[in-house]
Amino acid sequence: MNALLIVNPTSGASLNSNLLPDLLEVFKSQNLEIEIEQTTPEDDGQQIAAKASTNGVQLVIVAGGDGTIEAVVRAIANTQITLGIIPLGTRNNLAASFNIPNNFHQAVRIIKEGQISSIDLGKVDGYYFLEVVGIGLEASLFPCGEDVKEAAKKNAFAPIGSIFSGLKTFFAFHPHRLTLRLDGKLKYHPRTLQVNICNSPRYGAEIFLAPHAKMDDGKLDVIYMNRSSKLDHLRHLFSAMRGQPFEHELLRTYQASKIEIESYLPLEVHADGIYIGQTPITIEVAPKALQVLLPTPKLLAEFADQAGSNMREDNN
């Protein structure tokens, strides 16, 4: 099979200079022949993948984090290209949603022996996303989060200004009246701080906002709190970050294949952490739009046995 490996050299685990040679040795041991391209500040992987698509590449493997995977997917969505994943990022939310372990030896086994499955993508005003769309407070806070990450690269005190900016945004933000139309039929008029449309069970800082979301059911999960306080909102967020269920009379969850959202005042919108504009917006599921290599039940059982053996060895 004609295969391309796209490596993000700045992903969390990729910062280890010995990783790429080790990774190539694993591919060699599995008798997998691949070409290699690396992302750059000018190309996050989308252009590389788009070129591969026109050159007849059948398998694109991403060695990186969620952002790199999402960039590549935007180029290969609704094509015959199959995606392979080697999780090297900080969070690896997508790999976790797909049951792909962080151990890259096992991830390469999945590429060699896994099963090709078709999964859904989300689409908002022509823009594909894998994880989530956020409308309102979350989208307004995302630039502050990016500023914190960039400032942290300079020194330990540099992020302080960005943190204060984020706090100012949080306390100044007020609930807004929205109109949600689901599948062209059901209509809701919540007053809320934010609405999330989830395709995957978790996103961001390992936030399990839609723990029961499935990426192959032809539906997107709609989550918001109606007329909630900021304290309720924070409690919901912290519960989701811990992966704990959150029961609250103001919490609303729905499923739909098409969601139309309007607001009296324009609200900012992000898709997988990238600012894409303001309301009004239309979000739709793109069913079976991506082919991805996933572990078989046999491989999952084998990996579980290996983890159990390693744990027993550590305890001895």
Side-chain angles (χ1 to χ4, degrees), residues 193-213:
L193 290 165
Q194 71 180 48
V195 177
N196 288 96
I197 314 297
C198 296
N199 183 48
S200 65
R202 71 185 226 184
Y203 72 96
E206 300 181 21
I207 301 172
F208 291 83
L209 200 64
H212 302 298

Side-chain angles (χ1 to χ4, degrees), residues 66-67 70 91 93 131-151 162-163 165-167 169-170 173 194-197 202-207 209 233 237 268-277:
D66 295 319
E70 288 153 1
R91 302 296 182 182
N93 289 311
E131 297 180 87
V132 66
V133 163
I135 301 102
L137 176 59
E138 186 177 80
S140 297
L141 287 173
F142 252 97
C144 302
E146 291 300 312
D147 290 344
V148 169
K149 287 193 290 186
E150 289 300 315
S162 299
I163 292 172
S165 177
L167 289 172
T169 299
F170 176 80
F173 197 92
Q194 71 180 48
V195 177
N196 288 96
I197 314 297
R202 71 185 226 184
Y203 72 96
E206 300 181 21
I207 301 172
L209 200 64
H233 179 79
L237 174 64
E268 294 182 319
V269 182
H270 83 86
D272 288 344
I274 296 177
Y275 175 79
I276 60 168

Side-chain angles (χ1 to χ4, degrees), residues 7-20 23 38 63-65 86-89:
V7 180
N8 183 349
T10 64
S11 290
S14 298
L15 296 176
N16 180 347
S17 60
N18 295 322
L19 185 142
L20 184 55
L23 184 56
Q38 294 195 34
I86 299 174
L88 301 180

Side-chain angles (χ1 to χ4, degrees), residues 3-72:
L4 172 66
L5 173 65
I6 299 177
V7 180
N8 183 349
T10 64
S11 290
S14 298
L15 296 176
N16 180 347
S17 60
N18 295 322
L19 185 142
L20 184 55
D22 291 346
L23 184 56
L24 295 180
E25 279 298 316
V26 176
F27 274 103
K28 186 177 179 180
S29 70
Q30 295 292 326
N31 296 315
L32 292 170
E33 295 184 5
I34 55 170
E35 295 184 14
I36 304 170
E37 294 272 4
Q38 294 195 34
T39 64
T40 65
E42 294 75 31
D43 185 354
D44 58 3
Q46 185 169 348
Q47 295 176 43
I48 298 172
K51 184 178 178 181
S53 178
T54 60
N55 290 340
V57 172
Q58 298 168 286
L59 171 63
V60 171
I61 305 162
V62 178
D66 295 319
T68 308
I69 295 169
E70 288 153 1
V72 168

Side-chain angles (χ1 to χ4, degrees), residues 111-133:
I111 292 168
K112 178 69 179 294
E113 305 171 36
Q115 60 189 13
I116 297 177
S117 299
S118 296
I119 68 160
D120 304 332
L121 298 176
K123 195 173 184 180
V124 50
D125 292 345
Y127 186 94
Y128 286 107
F129 67 93
L130 268 162
E131 297 180 87
V132 66
V133 163

